[in-house]
Amino acid sequence: MQPDKAVQDRAAARAAELPGSEHTHQVTGDWRVWKVGGKVFMLQTSMPGEPVVILKADPSDAEALRAAHVSISPGYHMNKKHWITVRTGADVEPALVDNLVTESYLLVVAGLPKQSRPVDPASFRVPPSAD
């Protein structure tokens, strides 16, 4: 049986819409990496047969998300306070994935020097998708 990659596919589609987003592969291992301004905002890999998305999150938001969603846990191989892991699950809807990817991106953009930012993180919003 093929693992469900719905969350990975949705996250990759949203990341592709974000200005200045670049997709690469890690030299070693089975990791797909998305960066903005040379800084990572999203990773994808598989934890023993289970496709996951790892995203940056504000620590208080990360805690609330983990409490509210069974399919969200601390960041796999990342700082557990600042990163979350998202799995495909009934409690993770496409709009939530879009929002989590966008917020991760904006957190990283806000940390870039102003002249290197592809957008203003205070005012940038991705329009809601059609589905």
Side-chain angles (χ1 to χ4, degrees), residues 5 7-13 15 23 30-34 42-46 51-54 101:
K5 297 178 96 177
V7 166
Q8 284 187 338
D9 293 344
R10 183 63 181 226
H23 174 220
D30 183 26
W31 290 79
R32 295 172 33 182
V33 181
W34 280 260
M42 181 172 77
L43 300 132
Q44 292 185 355
T45 192
S46 288
V52 296
V53 176
I54 299 112
V101 171

Short mmCIF file of all heavy atoms in Angstrom, two decimals, residues 5 7-13 15 23 30-34 42-46 51-54 101:
data_model
loop_
_atom_site.label_atom_id
_atom_site.label_comp_id
_atom_site.label_asym_id
_atom_site.label_seq_id
_atom_site.Cartn_x
_atom_site.Cartn_y
_atom_site.Cartn_z
N LYS A 5 0.45 10.77 0.61
CA LYS A 5 1.31 11.94 0.52
C LYS A 5 0.50 13.23 0.35
O LYS A 5 1.03 14.22 -0.11
CB LYS A 5 2.29 11.77 -0.63
CG LYS A 5 3.24 10.59 -0.43
CD LYS A 5 4.14 10.43 -1.60
CE LYS A 5 5.42 11.13 -1.27
NZ LYS A 5 6.46 11.00 -2.28
N VAL A 7 -0.61 15.53 2.41
CA VAL A 7 -0.09 16.71 3.11
C VAL A 7 1.18 17.21 2.41
O VAL A 7 1.35 18.41 2.21
CB VAL A 7 0.17 16.42 4.60
CG1 VAL A 7 1.01 17.50 5.25
CG2 VAL A 7 -1.15 16.29 5.34
N GLN A 8 2.06 16.30 2.01
CA GLN A 8 3.28 16.71 1.30
C GLN A 8 2.94 17.39 -0.02
O GLN A 8 3.52 18.43 -0.35
CB GLN A 8 4.19 15.51 1.05
CG GLN A 8 4.94 15.06 2.27
CD GLN A 8 5.97 14.00 1.95
OE1 GLN A 8 5.89 13.30 0.94
NE2 GLN A 8 6.95 13.86 2.83
N ASP A 9 2.01 16.81 -0.77
CA ASP A 9 1.64 17.40 -2.06
C ASP A 9 1.03 18.79 -1.88
O ASP A 9 1.36 19.73 -2.61
CB ASP A 9 0.67 16.49 -2.80
CG ASP A 9 1.30 15.17 -3.24
OD1 ASP A 9 2.55 15.06 -3.25
OD2 ASP A 9 0.53 14.24 -3.56
N ARG A 10 0.15 18.92 -0.91
CA ARG A 10 -0.50 20.21 -0.66
C ARG A 10 0.52 21.25 -0.21
O ARG A 10 0.52 22.39 -0.67
CB ARG A 10 -1.60 20.06 0.39
CG ARG A 10 -2.39 21.31 0.68
CD ARG A 10 -3.14 21.75 -0.57
NE ARG A 10 -3.88 22.96 -0.35
CZ ARG A 10 -5.14 23.13 -0.74
NH1 ARG A 10 -5.79 22.16 -1.36
NH2 ARG A 10 -5.74 24.26 -0.51
N ALA A 11 1.41 20.86 0.69
CA ALA A 11 2.43 21.78 1.20
C ALA A 11 3.37 22.22 0.08
O ALA A 11 3.73 23.41 -0.02
CB ALA A 11 3.21 21.13 2.34
N ALA A 12 3.77 21.30 -0.79
CA ALA A 12 4.66 21.64 -1.90
C ALA A 12 3.98 22.61 -2.86
O ALA A 12 4.61 23.56 -3.35
CB ALA A 12 5.10 20.38 -2.63
N ALA A 13 2.70 22.39 -3.11
CA ALA A 13 1.96 23.29 -4.00
C ALA A 13 1.88 24.70 -3.41
O ALA A 13 2.08 25.69 -4.12
CB ALA A 13 0.54 22.75 -4.25
N ALA A 15 3.97 26.05 -1.17
CA ALA A 15 5.32 26.61 -1.15
C ALA A 15 5.72 27.15 -2.52
O ALA A 15 6.38 28.19 -2.62
CB ALA A 15 6.33 25.57 -0.67
N HIS A 23 13.08 25.28 -4.14
CA HIS A 23 13.00 23.87 -3.76
C HIS A 23 14.32 23.20 -4.10
O HIS A 23 14.80 23.31 -5.21
CB HIS A 23 11.84 23.22 -4.51
CG HIS A 23 11.74 21.75 -4.30
ND1 HIS A 23 11.43 20.89 -5.32
CD2 HIS A 23 11.92 20.98 -3.22
CE1 HIS A 23 11.41 19.66 -4.86
NE2 HIS A 23 11.70 19.68 -3.59
N ASP A 30 16.85 11.32 2.25
CA ASP A 30 15.65 11.50 1.44
C ASP A 30 14.86 12.72 1.94
O ASP A 30 13.74 12.59 2.40
CB ASP A 30 14.80 10.22 1.52
CG ASP A 30 13.56 10.29 0.64
OD1 ASP A 30 13.59 11.02 -0.36
OD2 ASP A 30 12.57 9.62 0.97
N TRP A 31 15.50 13.87 1.87
CA TRP A 31 14.88 15.10 2.35
C TRP A 31 14.70 16.07 1.19
O TRP A 31 15.62 16.33 0.43
CB TRP A 31 15.77 15.77 3.40
CG TRP A 31 15.85 15.04 4.69
CD1 TRP A 31 16.60 13.94 4.97
CD2 TRP A 31 15.16 15.36 5.89
NE1 TRP A 31 16.42 13.55 6.27
CE2 TRP A 31 15.54 14.41 6.86
CE3 TRP A 31 14.25 16.36 6.24
CZ2 TRP A 31 15.05 14.42 8.16
CZ3 TRP A 31 13.77 16.39 7.54
CH2 TRP A 31 14.15 15.43 8.48
N ARG A 32 13.50 16.62 1.08
CA ARG A 32 13.23 17.72 0.15
C ARG A 32 13.18 18.99 1.00
O ARG A 32 12.59 19.00 2.07
CB ARG A 32 11.93 17.48 -0.59
CG ARG A 32 12.04 16.24 -1.47
CD ARG A 32 10.75 15.80 -2.10
NE ARG A 32 9.87 16.91 -2.42
CZ ARG A 32 8.67 16.77 -2.95
NH1 ARG A 32 8.20 15.58 -3.21
NH2 ARG A 32 7.91 17.81 -3.19
N VAL A 33 13.80 20.06 0.50
CA VAL A 33 13.98 21.27 1.30
C VAL A 33 13.45 22.48 0.52
O VAL A 33 13.73 22.63 -0.67
CB VAL A 33 15.48 21.48 1.61
CG1 VAL A 33 15.70 22.72 2.44
CG2 VAL A 33 16.07 20.24 2.30
N TRP A 34 12.72 23.36 1.22
CA TRP A 34 12.27 24.63 0.64
C TRP A 34 12.90 25.75 1.45
O TRP A 34 12.86 25.73 2.68
CB TRP A 34 10.75 24.75 0.69
CG TRP A 34 10.08 24.00 -0.40
CD1 TRP A 34 9.59 24.50 -1.56
CD2 TRP A 34 9.79 22.59 -0.43
NE1 TRP A 34 9.04 23.50 -2.32
CE2 TRP A 34 9.15 22.31 -1.65
CE3 TRP A 34 10.05 21.53 0.45
CZ2 TRP A 34 8.75 21.05 -2.02
CZ3 TRP A 34 9.65 20.26 0.08
CH2 TRP A 34 9.00 20.02 -1.13
N MET A 42 10.70 24.87 5.11
CA MET A 42 9.93 23.63 5.06
C MET A 42 10.83 22.48 4.62
O MET A 42 11.67 22.64 3.74
CB MET A 42 8.76 23.76 4.09
CG MET A 42 7.90 22.51 4.01
SD MET A 42 6.38 22.72 3.04
CE MET A 42 7.02 22.64 1.38
N LEU A 43 10.61 21.33 5.25
CA LEU A 43 11.30 20.09 4.87
C LEU A 43 10.26 19.01 4.69
O LEU A 43 9.21 19.03 5.34
CB LEU A 43 12.26 19.66 5.99
CG LEU A 43 13.35 20.64 6.33
CD1 LEU A 43 13.43 20.82 7.83
CD2 LEU A 43 14.66 20.16 5.79
N GLN A 44 10.56 18.06 3.82
CA GLN A 44 9.71 16.88 3.66
C GLN A 44 10.59 15.65 3.65
O GLN A 44 11.66 15.65 3.04
CB GLN A 44 8.91 16.95 2.36
CG GLN A 44 7.88 18.03 2.34
CD GLN A 44 7.02 17.99 1.09
OE1 GLN A 44 7.24 17.22 0.18
NE2 GLN A 44 6.01 18.85 1.06
N THR A 45 10.12 14.61 4.30
CA THR A 45 10.81 13.32 4.32
C THR A 45 9.78 12.27 4.70
O THR A 45 8.59 12.56 4.80
CB THR A 45 12.01 13.33 5.30
OG1 THR A 45 12.80 12.16 5.08
CG2 THR A 45 11.57 13.41 6.75
N SER A 46 10.25 11.06 4.90
CA SER A 46 9.38 10.00 5.40
C SER A 46 9.98 9.45 6.68
O SER A 46 11.16 9.14 6.73
CB SER A 46 9.25 8.87 4.38
OG SER A 46 8.47 9.29 3.29
N PRO A 51 4.98 9.70 5.14
CA PRO A 51 5.38 11.01 4.64
C PRO A 51 5.02 12.12 5.63
O PRO A 51 3.91 12.14 6.16
CB PRO A 51 4.58 11.17 3.35
CG PRO A 51 4.07 9.82 3.02
CD PRO A 51 3.97 9.07 4.32
N VAL A 52 5.98 13.02 5.87
CA VAL A 52 5.74 14.12 6.80
C VAL A 52 6.25 15.43 6.21
O VAL A 52 7.10 15.45 5.33
CB VAL A 52 6.40 13.89 8.18
CG1 VAL A 52 5.80 12.68 8.88
CG2 VAL A 52 7.90 13.76 8.06
N VAL A 53 5.72 16.53 6.76
CA VAL A 53 6.15 17.88 6.43
C VAL A 53 6.60 18.52 7.74
O VAL A 53 5.89 18.44 8.75
CB VAL A 53 4.99 18.71 5.82
CG1 VAL A 53 5.42 20.14 5.57
CG2 VAL A 53 4.49 18.06 4.54
N ILE A 54 7.78 19.14 7.72
CA ILE A 54 8.31 19.80 8.92
C ILE A 54 8.35 21.30 8.63
O ILE A 54 8.90 21.73 7.62
CB ILE A 54 9.72 19.26 9.27
CG1 ILE A 54 9.64 17.76 9.56
CG2 ILE A 54 10.26 19.97 10.49
CD1 ILE A 54 10.32 16.92 8.57
N VAL A 101 2.15 26.40 6.09
CA VAL A 101 3.27 26.65 5.17
C VAL A 101 3.51 28.15 5.04
O VAL A 101 4.65 28.62 5.12
CB VAL A 101 3.01 26.00 3.79
CG1 VAL A 101 4.07 26.44 2.77
CG2 VAL A 101 2.98 24.49 3.90
#
